[in-house]
Amino acid sequence: MKNSVSFACPSYVIPASVQENIQFLKGKVSEIALICFEPSLPIIKDLLPFRGAWHIHLPYHVPHDFYKHPEKYEDFSFQYSEQTIWKNCWEQANSLADIENFARVCITITKHCRQLKPKHCVLHLPKSHLQNAEPYLKHFLKIWEQELPLELLCLENVKNASWLDFRESILSSSCSLCFDVAHALTYEQTACFEDKECMKKVKVVHWSAPYEKNSEQNGLDKHLNLNNLINHTDYCIKVLKNIAPTATHVLEIFSWEEIEKSKDFFFQLFQYIEQASNQAG
């Protein structure tokens, strides 16, 4: 089973440069999630030593002046100062023009990475309580589709934003989805997997534990190792049963040591699914 199941991990798992992380991950994983949390361009030559698959996690925070001067940040590994004030990209926007600027930055990052042939691009959903959340999301999808296939874009459930909040917009488009298990557990979104139509769109699954085993630290999302999910094993199995076998599974844990600790639990989930399938057959 361990040899038949593969997982992806973030491009940051050791406290070092991107280049050093990529060198470190060679031979350890079959796919890397390129973390582009900032609206600037990665240096592609630093990434090419890894010969496996790639997908991109697009930005969700932008500098406070981003919408006034978006061109300022379209550079290679822009050097942000410690004084940079970061804002949620959706909350900071004041107009559809702002959302278009944000969408075009995401498109530029994706096209810049074309040599990596990214399978997916993950984007956080806007918080559903925002006044313009729905029109902002629709406009982003419209701008993206003008340049890139919508199927490439995977919308992720986050705090105050589940797929169910945007179900009509999601199902009426050809976009894909990213299911974050820790977010579902932390933010009371566990019913998401019961929506069969949405689950058909899931291309990426993020795995981590939101809080320590035997505790209920609601509101926190700590990206802990998967051993802390032991009390949620049944839920994890239910999720897996509803996910397409072709989905990319990401151990979204920003420490290789903690990823190593997670492997047994992760593989055991798939082993259970396989055994249940064999018994049913």
Side-chain angles (χ1 to χ4, degrees):
M1 170 55 64
K2 289 187 180 183
N3 292 329
S4 62
V5 176
S6 61
F7 63 88
C9 75
S11 56
Y12 182 87
V13 295
I14 58 172
S17 68
V18 172
Q19 187 176 22
E20 290 169 301
N21 270 269
I22 300 311
Q23 289 289 348
F24 175 82
L25 289 170
K26 286 170 57 178
K28 292 182 172 67
V29 292
S30 59
E31 183 170 341
I32 292 177
L34 179 60
I35 304 302
C36 295
F37 287 165
E38 302 161 346
S40 50
L41 302 177
I43 299 174
I44 298 299
K45 68 179 180 61
D46 291 345
L47 309 176
L48 294 179
F50 182 77
R51 299 296 185 182
W54 291 88
H55 68 272
I56 300 170
H57 197 312
L58 295 167
Y60 58 92
H61 283 98
V62 294
H64 70 283
D65 63 343
F66 173 78
Y67 289 120
K68 292 182 179 178
H69 306 286
E71 71 288 344
K72 169 180 167 184
Y73 297 99
E74 291 185 20
D75 199 355
F76 294 97
S77 295
F78 183 88
Q79 295 300 307
Y80 299 90
S81 74
E82 293 182 2
Q83 284 72 45
T84 300
I85 300 172
W86 294 89
K87 301 285 187 178
N88 180 281
C89 52
W90 301 104
E91 292 180 36
Q92 183 74 356
N94 290 309
S95 65
L96 293 181
D98 284 347
I99 292 301
E100 181 165 344
N101 280 332
F102 175 59
R104 296 207 180 280
V105 164
C106 292
I107 290 166
T108 298
I109 290 171
T110 303
K111 288 186 172 183
H112 174 71
C113 294
R114 62 166 60 90
Q115 192 172 350
L116 304 176
K117 299 179 181 179
K119 296 163 54 180
H120 315 291
C121 296
V122 175
L123 177 71
H124 284 191
L125 280 166
K127 295 179 180 180
S128 58
H129 66 267
L130 294 177
Q131 182 178 356
N132 295 312
E134 190 88 30
Y136 280 2
L137 177 61
K138 287 182 176 180
H139 195 61
F140 185 102
L141 296 178
K142 175 184 175 182
I143 299 303
W144 179 280
E145 193 172 26
Q146 291 172 2
E147 303 277 345
L148 293 165
L150 262 180
E151 294 86 350
L152 189 65
L153 188 67
C154 298
L155 302 176
E156 179 183 350
N157 59 303
V158 293
K159 185 176 182 179
N160 296 322
S162 84
W163 311 327
L164 304 183
D165 298 321
F166 301 95
R167 189 176 189 273
E168 183 180 345
S169 295
I170 288 171
L171 294 182
S172 63
S173 83
S174 57
C175 70
S176 302
L177 295 174
C178 168
F179 185 61
D180 191 298
V181 174
H183 291 168
L185 290 169
T186 308
Y187 307 126
E188 299 180 354
Q189 299 169 356
T190 53
C192 277
F193 82 90
E194 296 174 4
D195 191 312
K196 305 299 183 184
E197 292 303 307
C198 283
M199 290 302 283
K200 289 177 184 177
K201 285 177 162 280
V202 174
K203 301 285 181 65
V204 179
V205 185
H206 284 174
W207 293 92
S208 68
Y211 39 72
E212 295 172 3
K213 183 174 59 178
N214 301 323
S215 70
E216 291 285 336
Q217 301 172 55
N218 293 324
L220 299 177
D221 179 20
K222 294 186 172 182
H223 291 268
L224 300 175
N225 76 62
L226 300 193
N227 293 317
N228 291 290
L229 286 178
I230 192 167
N231 294 336
H232 302 286
T233 300
D234 289 346
Y235 178 73
C236 293
I237 290 170
K238 288 178 183 177
V239 169
L240 268 184
K241 286 180 177 178
N242 286 277
I243 297 289
T246 54
T248 296
H249 294 271
V250 187
L251 298 190
E252 200 185 34
I253 302 166
F254 300 96
S255 161
W256 185 254
E257 181 180 354
E258 297 303 305
I259 288 174
E260 288 281 12
K261 293 177 184 177
S262 301
K263 287 182 180 179
D264 282 346
F265 181 87
F266 178 73
F267 290 131
Q268 284 167 11
L269 292 176
F270 284 88
Q271 189 171 20
Y272 178 89
I273 297 294
E274 183 180 56
Q275 290 172 348
S277 177
N278 291 338
Q279 289 171 3

